[in-house]
């Protein structure tokens, strides 16, 4: 479902969910998603990773509920723990993560995008966390990410109601960062990904680490992380190259893996 839809263009890797007709996640699909992320993040030729869908009208329909039928707490622990491993991979990535969201986006696939840096969405996309309707909560660290992303009052109401939100609402809330005409979504995200792929990988990783990890720290601890990071950057090759290139009025030659 996933491995066959991992492709790279211009140092931008696309991991596309591909389980027609609606991208309903099974345990196998969760495992394949995990492994595909590991593959992309460990590939030196990949500088940016995009989460997307190969299914035309669905980004994600959430979990295939046949998987949940009869599931006990012990089995759910294994499912949720595996999902949390994906979260840790995404949050710990040194490479920028983007999402290209089309069509209906609910449940697990949408939850994974909350751990990306930027979310681009088709202007006709719809978003939802309907777990309340089956007496459940979204288990891919969504309760934590949503509150940090769109604020507690908005997050808790969104989860309480379980309804679908429009792309315009999602943009207003800060759930997505940019709306794009549906036919232009892939090209827009690819172009933005290539812009990032041309930047210093050390600086990108440093920005990602300080903002992502610092957001969960006290202000003073975040400043300590920032201080440690700038010291390490100053000892690295890209900082010296960036300063030299700027002073010489030439394009920098970054150190890529």
């Amino acid at each position: 479902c996933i491995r066959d839809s991992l492709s790279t263009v211009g140092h931008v890797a696309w991991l596309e969910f591909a389980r027609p007709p609606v991208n309903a996640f099974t345990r196998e699909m969760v495992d394949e998603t995990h492994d595909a992320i590991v593959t992309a993040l460990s590939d030196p030729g990949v500088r940016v990773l995009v989460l997307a869908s190969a299914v035309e009208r669905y980004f994600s329909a959430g979990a295939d509920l046949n998987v949940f039928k009869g599931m006990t707490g012990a089995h759910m622990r294994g499912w949720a723990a595996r999902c949390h491993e994906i979260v840790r991979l995404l949050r710990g990535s040194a490479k920028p993560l983007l999402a290209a969201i089309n069509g209906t986006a609910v449940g697990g696939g949408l939850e994974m995008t909350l751990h990306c840096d930027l979310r681009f969405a088709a202007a006709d996309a719809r978003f939802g966390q309907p777990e309340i309707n089956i007496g459940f909560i979204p288990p891919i660290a969504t309760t934590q990410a949503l509150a940090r992303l769109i604020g507690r009052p908005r997050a808790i109401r969104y989860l309480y109601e379980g309804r679908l939100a429009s792309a315009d609402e999602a943009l207003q809330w800060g759930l997505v960062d940019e709306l794009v005409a549906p036919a232009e979504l892939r090209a827009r995200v690819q172009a933005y990904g290539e812009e990032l792929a041309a930047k210093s990988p050390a600086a990108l990783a440093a920005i990602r680490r300080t903002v992502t990890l610092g957001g969960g720290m006290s202000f003073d601890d975040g400043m300590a992380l920032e201080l440690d990071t700038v010291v390490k950057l100053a000892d690295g090759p890209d900082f010296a190259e960036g300063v030299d290139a700027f002073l010489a009025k030439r394009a920098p030659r970054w150190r890529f893996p």
Side-chain angles (χ1 to χ4, degrees), residues 106-152:
V106 300
L110 176 60
E111 293 174 57
M112 293 179 200
T113 72
L114 301 180
H115 309 291
C116 293
D117 303 322
L118 293 168
R119 285 157 296 281
F120 296 78
D124 60 356
R126 300 185 302 165
F127 304 81
Q129 296 296 158
E131 289 82 2
I132 186 71
N133 298 322
I134 61 166
F136 201 51
I137 64 171
I140 309 183
T142 302
T143 57
Q144 305 309 301
L146 265 182
R148 290 164 169 78
L149 184 64
I150 65 175
R152 182 186 185 278

Side-chain angles (χ1 to χ4, degrees), residues 41 49 90-91 93 95-99 115-118 208:
L41 296 184
L49 175 60
L90 296 174
R91 285 178 58 83
S93 170
K95 301 175 182 182
L97 305 178
L98 308 177
H115 309 291
C116 293
D117 303 322
L118 293 168
R208 218 178 174 270

Side-chain angles (χ1 to χ4, degrees), residues 10 13 15 33 38 42 52 58 65 98 100 114-115 123 144-145 149 180 182 194 220 238 240 255:
L15 191 166
T33 300
V38 170
S42 62
Y58 277 84
L65 292 189
L98 308 177
L114 301 180
H115 309 291
Q144 305 309 301
L149 184 64
V180 185
E194 290 182 10
D220 282 345
D238 277 3
R255 184 75 59 87

Side-chain angles (χ1 to χ4, degrees), residues 64-72:
D64 185 330
L65 292 189
N66 290 302
V67 176
F68 285 174
K69 186 173 177 60
M71 183 178 283
T72 64

Side-chain angles (χ1 to χ4, degrees), residues 206-217:
I207 290 169
R208 218 178 174 270
R209 182 169 179 265
T210 51
V211 173
T212 302
L213 298 184
M217 299 177 175

